[in-house]
Amino acid sequence: MRTDLLLELADFLEKLDPNRFDIRTWRRPSKDSVGFVSDKQLLTDCNTVACAIGWAVTLPNWKDAGFYMDRLDITKEHLSSPLSKPYTMAIIKWKGHTDIDSYDALQAGLNLPIGMAEVLFDFNNYADEEYTDGKTVAERIREFCSTPSEELIDLVVSYTDTE
């Protein structure tokens, strides 16, 4: 498990202005879409926000490890409501296995047990789904990094949202 990258992210999240973190935020990857935020903007504009992974891919060591934001086109086939409109969102990728994305890319690139990326980074796996601050995510990252490998699966299961 790449605890070095996880702990670097935890350190970053603990120092981050709470107004700049929203675990529910999906970045838009193209300049012509509402919600577009480039890595440069995210780092220099004090009004922009991102989730833990949106921030992680701005960190030099995460970039060096091959993580980056790519595009994911949400088409009519993906939408459950006929009133919804297609759009493009940002999705995390890993250069080590470009055919996968999102939590699968995180699990592969960070060498995490199955389900751990979702437990760490998906707002549905936190007690207060509407608001979870960066420090809470950082605490959970540290808990997982300090757990012996033989106990990690049990810890993942204990946090998994089964509803």
Side-chain angles (χ1 to χ4, degrees), residues 30-119:
S30 58
K31 291 180 183 178
D32 59 348
S33 62
V34 175
F36 167 75
V37 178
S38 69
D39 286 359
K40 183 178 179 184
Q41 271 181 296
L42 193 58
L43 293 170
T44 61
D45 177 0
C46 63
N47 293 318
T48 58
V49 299
C51 66
I53 297 308
W55 283 107
V57 297
T58 68
L59 301 174
N61 289 333
W62 280 71
K63 287 181 179 189
D64 290 347
F67 290 100
Y68 63 99
M69 281 290 175
D70 201 5
R71 298 170 52 105
L72 177 65
D73 294 318
I74 306 298
T75 63
K76 282 196 178 276
E77 302 84 57
H78 299 117
L79 300 170
S80 58
S81 168
L83 301 176
S84 297
K85 296 186 186 284
Y87 60 94
T88 300
M89 61 186 266
I91 196 79
I92 187 136
K93 299 281 273 188
W94 178 55
K95 291 178 182 174
H97 194 325
T98 57
D99 292 341
I100 59 175
D101 57 41
S102 190
Y103 297 127
D104 294 332
L106 288 170
Q107 283 174 189
L110 295 172
N111 193 26
L112 301 179
I114 299 295
M116 186 169 156
E118 288 180 62
V119 167

Side-chain angles (χ1 to χ4, degrees), residues 3 12 15 24 35 42 50 54 82 86 89 98 114 118 124 134 141 149:
T3 55
F12 179 86
K15 296 173 191 161
R24 301 163 298 166
L42 193 58
M89 61 186 266
T98 57
I114 299 295
E118 288 180 62
N124 289 313
I141 290 170
S149 58

